[in-house]
């Protein structure tokens, strides 16, 4: 390493430590979760990009472990085992994470903040964005692109439409996994009833069933076969897949629903303008989206109260970060001119802690900072 590179690395490390101290003074406890983590939560709950990049191993008991690819799930797991579980609590962190990234270093530093248990969701969301903006300023990044979205708005739209439950789950899954939602929407409008399937009998048995009935049938079939998974898919995943195929054989996604979803996904711009467009769409379609839009507007107000010029925020209903567990507000901060690599990214994930074992839902929101990217952004 050259003297210049060494000096840059030392400087960024010092800035990162100073950033951690800033979060601590704001009331966030320093969390230090182990580097080696159970692999199952990441395999089940993270996005496809993270699942494909895991470094996996197995201990002497056969438990599958991984080097932590991210710190949100490890910090959430520690919170759930602490005395503060269920109560409002905030944590900050700084440390190495591990992901296979091709020609880029697979070990890199990540800092961030996680907030659990706060019921004032709009205010908590705005605080995360404000802290993220402050973090970039501390590294000397003067010009930002602030990109935001809200999967709760998309979920509210899908929930309000008269669609089969399996379609609703599939569309929201597509949105969260950041695949080509538009392509899948078009495919769902095609007639599929004439195609043959090797599981024709199972699909016929599932016609008109709900998810509970589908899960029971697939559980029985796999018990008879003496297996608990096929090709790495769990019983639940296989049941969902069969139910989806059974539903698709009954017809196509209604074109009026498709047109409404596409209109929704075309809404973008400043938050206030987007809110106006959303209310117009809801009124035209006679859908009740008031609760989700009210929350969206409340969050925008809290952002303004924290000194963020909301006119500089680029909101898009189609924006998503590709993580399965997000349930609401999502955001990324990019250096001007860098459209691909975020400096900071985060969002709301109210369902994650229940899936990690919490007995009751716990609100949660947070963000991660990519220290190396932030250091490069400040040097640009």
């Amino acid at each position: 390493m050259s003297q210049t590179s060494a000096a840059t690395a030392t400087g960024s490390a010092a800035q990162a430590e100073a950033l951690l101290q800033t979060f601590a003074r704001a009331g966030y406890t320093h969390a230090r979760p182990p580097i080696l983590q159970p692999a199952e939560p990441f395999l089940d709950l993270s996005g496809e990009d993270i699942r494909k990049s895991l470094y996996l191993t197995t201990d002497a008991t056969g438990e599958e472990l991984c080097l932590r690819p991210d710190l949100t799930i490890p910090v959430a797991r520690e919170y759930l085992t602490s005395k503060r579980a269920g109560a409002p609590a905030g944590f900050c962190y700084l440390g190495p994470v591990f992901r296979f990234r091709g020609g880029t270093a697979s070990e890199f530093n990540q800092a961030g903040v996680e907030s659990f248990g706060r019921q004032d969701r709009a205010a908590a969301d705005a605080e995360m964005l404000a802290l993220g903006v402050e973090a970039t300023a501390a590294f000397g990044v003067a010009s930002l692109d602030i990109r935001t979205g809200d999967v709760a708005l998309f979920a509210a739209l899908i929930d309000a439409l008269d669609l089969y439950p399996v379609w609703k789950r599939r569309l929201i899954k597509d949105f969260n996994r950041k695949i080509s939602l538009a392509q899948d929407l078009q495919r769902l409008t095609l007639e599929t009833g004439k195609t043959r399937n090797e599981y024709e009998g199972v699909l016929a048995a599932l016609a008109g069933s709900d998810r509970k009935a589908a899960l029971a049938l697939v559980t029985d079939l796999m018990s008879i076969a003496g297996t608990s998974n096929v090709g790495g898919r769990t019983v639940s995943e296989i049941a969902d897949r069969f139910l989806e195929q059974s539903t698709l054989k009954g017809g196509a996604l209604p074109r009026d629903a498709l047109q409404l979803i596409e209109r929704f996904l075309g809404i973008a711009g400043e938050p206030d303008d987007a809110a106006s467009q959303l209310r117009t769409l809801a009124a035209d379609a006679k859908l009740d989206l008031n609760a989700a839009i009210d929350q969206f507007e409340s969050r925008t107000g809290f952002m303004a109260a924290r000194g963020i010029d909301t006119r500089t925020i680029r909101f898009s209903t189609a924006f998503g970060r590709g993580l399965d567990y997000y349930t609401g507000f999502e955001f990324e901060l990019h250096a001007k001119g860098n459209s691909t690599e975020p400096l900071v990214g985060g969002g709301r994930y109210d369902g994650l802690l229940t899936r990690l074992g919490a007995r009751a839902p716990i609100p949660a929101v947070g963000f991660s900072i990519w220290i190396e990217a932030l250091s490069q952004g400040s040097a640009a």
Side-chain angles (χ1 to χ4, degrees):
M1 180 184 293
S2 68
Q3 290 183 341
T4 301
S5 298
T8 300
T10 301
S12 64
Q15 287 173 306
E17 287 292 344
L19 193 61
L20 203 61
Q21 293 172 17
T22 299
F23 294 149
R25 287 193 294 271
Y28 293 90
T29 303
H30 190 181
R32 299 177 176 86
I35 287 176
L36 200 60
Q37 293 281 324
E40 184 177 3
F42 296 100
L43 292 169
D44 290 347
L45 305 175
S46 298
E48 187 66 23
D49 288 346
I50 289 182
R51 282 194 289 270
K52 291 189 299 185
S53 68
L54 288 178
Y55 284 94
L56 296 167
T57 187
T58 305
D59 68 11
T61 69
E63 181 183 6
E64 197 167 27
L65 304 171
C66 69
L67 299 177
R68 63 188 188 200
D70 184 83
L71 278 152
T72 296
I73 287 177
V75 171
R77 292 180 67 248
E78 283 204 347
Y79 164 73
L80 288 176
T81 60
S82 74
K83 295 179 180 179
R84 303 171 72 179
F91 300 90
C92 60
Y93 53 82
L94 170 66
V97 295
F98 305 84
R99 299 182 199 174
F100 177 74
R101 300 191 297 173
T104 308
S106 296
E107 177 184 346
F108 54 100
N109 282 323
Q110 189 180 80
V113 166
E114 309 297 340
S115 176
F116 305 118
R118 285 182 58 173
Q119 298 297 328
D120 55 340
R121 288 172 171 81
D125 290 350
E127 182 172 320
M128 293 301 105
L129 180 61
L131 287 173
V133 171
E134 290 174 19
T136 62
F139 273 74
V141 179
S143 187
L144 284 176
D145 279 333
I146 304 176
R147 307 175 189 180
T148 68
D150 190 344
V151 65
L153 287 168
F154 183 73
L157 173 73
I158 298 302
D159 187 57
L161 294 175
D162 184 19
L163 298 175
Y164 290 117
V166 67
W167 276 343
K168 294 183 178 184
R169 287 196 301 272
R170 174 168 172 161
L171 291 170
I172 292 173
K173 183 184 293 185
D174 280 356
F175 185 95
N176 278 340
R177 293 187 175 180
K178 212 172 183 179
I179 69 170
S180 179
L181 179 60
Q183 181 180 355
D184 202 31
L185 283 170
Q186 292 292 341
R187 197 169 76 82
L188 286 172
T189 62
L190 301 177
E191 292 292 340
T192 56
K194 296 180 180 179
T195 59
R196 297 291 298 173
N197 188 295
E198 61 182 312
Y199 300 107
E200 209 65 48
V202 176
L203 298 181
L206 288 175
S209 298
D210 60 15
R211 190 170 188 269
K212 183 177 180 181
L215 184 59
L217 175 60
V218 173
T219 299
D220 288 345
L221 291 175
M222 294 182 70
S223 177
I224 293 170
T227 183
S228 60
N229 66 77
V230 176
R233 289 182 175 176
T234 64
V235 172
S236 178
E237 289 172 330
I238 293 169
D240 282 344
R241 181 61 175 165
F242 274 137
L243 190 57
E244 174 185 304
Q245 291 299 313
S246 176
T247 302
L248 291 175
K249 286 187 71 62
L253 184 69
R255 290 197 176 274
D256 58 346
L258 170 66
Q259 291 168 358
L260 190 59
I261 293 170
E262 290 180 334
R263 177 181 168 186
F264 172 89
L265 292 172
I267 294 175
E270 298 175 15
D272 288 342
D273 181 52
S276 177
Q277 294 181 59
L278 287 165
R279 292 204 184 277
T280 299
L281 178 147
D284 291 348
K286 296 180 174 56
L287 299 176
D288 182 4
L289 305 180
N290 288 327
I293 300 174
D294 288 347
Q295 183 77 359
F296 172 62
E297 290 184 318
S298 177
R299 179 191 307 126
T300 302
F302 279 109
M303 290 175 181
R306 284 191 162 270
I308 297 173
D309 184 355
T310 59
R311 294 171 301 178
T312 66
I313 294 175
R314 296 167 54 192
F315 172 81
S316 171
T317 51
F319 175 85
R321 300 203 59 243
L323 290 172
D324 289 357
Y325 52 71
Y326 279 133
T327 59
F329 175 57
E330 300 181 52
F331 73 94
E332 287 182 353
L333 307 180
H334 291 249
K336 285 283 188 182
N338 187 335
S339 61
T340 55
E341 296 298 326
L343 308 175
V344 178
R348 175 159 293 280
Y349 50 96
D350 286 350
L352 177 62
L353 277 79
T354 305
R355 296 170 73 182
L356 288 173
R359 295 182 179 179
I362 299 174
V365 64
F367 65 89
S368 297
I369 303 167
W370 287 268
I371 298 299
E372 284 84 355
L374 196 53
S375 299
Q376 293 166 7
S378 64

